[in-house]
Amino acid sequence: MAGKLPDELMFLVNARATQKRTDATAAGKVCVVTGATSGVGLQAARRLAQGGASLVLLCRNAEKGSAVGRSIEEEFHVPVDVVVADFTRLDTVRSAAAEILDRHPRLDVLVNNAGMHSTKRTFTPEGYETVLCVNHLAPFLLTRLLLPRLMESGSARIVDVSSEGHRFCAFDPDDLGWKKRHYTGLRSYGASKTAQLLTVWEFADRLLGTGTTIVAAHPGDVRTNIGGNNGWLYRGFSKLVTDRFLKDASRSGEAIYYLSVAPEMQGISGLFYHLTIEEVPMKHAMDRSLSKRVWEQSSRLTALPVD
């Protein structure tokens, strides 16, 4: 098509495009949503509840999680289970997965939404660079642990909330701690989202023919609390400048609902979306030889079998 932008810039068009919606019900589905106390995760949980789904909310803060759970139950009259997990600690992810498997004999949707952005390089108690752990290793571990239960439903869907931020930095499996490269918040965030995408393709390959699918999606340019852990200068700039150009996160909730529930998404796997519009990721996030290496590395780091 004449005048069409290159794939690397199509997100500029897709951000303004009319997005797809669905009126399909989520009644009878059990949906797990991580990072559900604010922003994109909260809006995804609310939209799934509005559609009739039962919810399992993974939250770092038990008090906030309980308050959100009560609010959703009162408004939408659906059951909500709140499970505590701190994605900077992989042991809590394992414990949370065990709780979910113990309490829920059926799982239909997993929305991996929890994420963070940090302007300073920090490390988790287990020694992982924090942004990589929260944005990639923890959801990778959770997905692997819940996958057998998801597959039992025969038609489960996994939605990884990714980011156009993956376009800003490739993933270097030989420098997980940023000891050889200059660290910035944008670069670490982009690298973590690239790692996430690389394993999405591997998940999709392994799920082929099972009825269970996985896609990744940029949630749109919306206002969230991500980066709230940073200093006053970052927070002030976000509030006074950046947020003025962003949309309400309910837009993200609607898109995640579509990807999780829409009949036309049944059987579609291994793709990247800008909200609900299919998009081509950067080439560095499509390297299949690297994706296999990242899968193996992520498996080792989370003490999981490679296959």
Side-chain angles (χ1 to χ4, degrees):
M1 182 175 68
K4 183 180 182 296
L5 290 174
D7 289 337
E8 292 82 1
L9 296 178
M10 280 303 295
F11 69 92
L12 298 172
V13 175
N14 295 335
R16 300 191 299 271
T18 300
Q19 300 297 322
K20 301 170 187 174
R21 299 170 66 96
T22 184
D23 294 323
T25 182
K29 296 183 183 296
V30 179
C31 302
V32 180
V33 183
T34 71
T37 57
S38 66
V40 171
L42 175 59
Q43 294 303 321
R46 287 177 52 80
R47 183 63 183 92
L48 287 163
Q50 182 184 21
S54 301
L55 298 181
V56 181
L57 307 183
L58 260 69
C59 309
R60 182 179 58 176
N61 186 299
E63 185 176 350
K64 287 183 179 179
S66 295
V68 167
R70 288 193 300 270
S71 175
I72 290 176
E73 285 181 329
E74 291 170 2
E75 183 173 0
F76 299 109
H77 309 290
V78 297
V80 180
D81 183 16
V82 176
V83 179
V84 176
D86 181 347
F87 274 25
T88 67
R89 296 183 51 125
L90 297 183
D91 59 332
T92 73
V93 176
R94 290 184 179 277
S95 298
E99 285 186 49
I100 294 170
L101 294 174
D102 182 59
R103 299 205 289 254
H104 298 279
R106 179 184 179 93
L107 298 175
D108 299 279
V109 174
L110 170 60
V111 179
N112 283 314
N113 163 75
M116 72 172 293
H117 173 281
S118 178
T119 57
K120 295 181 179 179
R121 186 184 67 162
T122 61
F123 294 90
T124 71
E126 295 165 295
Y128 304 123
E129 192 268 315
T130 306
V131 174
L132 178 67
C133 187
V134 172
N135 292 357
H136 171 57
L137 293 178
F140 177 83
L141 174 61
L142 180 68
T143 303
R144 290 281 302 270
L145 294 175
L146 298 185
L147 198 55
R149 184 63 46 83
L150 286 159
M151 291 172 64
E152 287 173 5
S153 78
S155 58
R157 302 186 194 181
I158 303 164
V159 179
D160 274 10
V161 178
S162 184
S163 174
E164 296 291 0
H166 84 273
R167 300 186 183 280
F168 302 120
C169 190
F171 179 71
D172 184 350
D174 295 318
D175 189 24
L176 302 183
W178 291 86
K179 297 177 180 179
K180 302 175 183 177
R181 298 167 294 162
H182 176 63
Y183 180 98
T184 69
L186 184 61
R187 296 184 75 204
S188 70
Y189 183 78
S192 70
K193 289 300 181 178
T194 296
Q196 181 190 43
L197 281 177
L198 288 167
T199 54
V200 165
W201 322 138
E202 295 298 315
F203 272 116
D205 284 353
R206 287 162 172 78
L207 291 171
L208 191 64
T210 67
T212 298
T213 60
I214 182 170
V215 297
H218 173 66
D221 302 322
V222 297
R223 289 182 293 275
T224 72
N225 291 334
I226 194 167
N229 52 287
N230 294 308
W232 65 268
L233 184 60
Y234 179 95
R235 297 196 305 271
F237 184 83
S238 295
K239 183 176 182 180
L240 297 175
V241 181
T242 308
D243 285 358
R244 297 189 178 195
F245 298 95
L246 302 178
K247 297 180 174 62
D248 188 81
S250 59
R251 190 178 193 220
S252 306
E254 196 66 51
I256 291 171
Y257 187 79
Y258 176 86
L259 298 174
S260 301
V261 173
E264 55 267 38
M265 287 298 298
Q266 185 66 43
I268 294 178
S269 194
L271 296 178
F272 175 72
Y273 291 84
H274 186 112
L275 292 166
T276 60
I277 299 174
E278 184 183 346
E279 197 170 270
V280 179
M282 291 294 282
K283 289 182 180 179
H284 64 243
M286 298 288 286
D287 184 337
R288 292 312 306 271
S289 61
L290 180 59
S291 72
K292 289 174 172 54
R293 183 179 176 189
V294 174
W295 176 277
E296 294 172 358
Q297 185 178 49
S298 302
S299 298
R300 290 195 300 271
L301 291 173
T302 54
L304 292 169
V306 172
D307 293 319

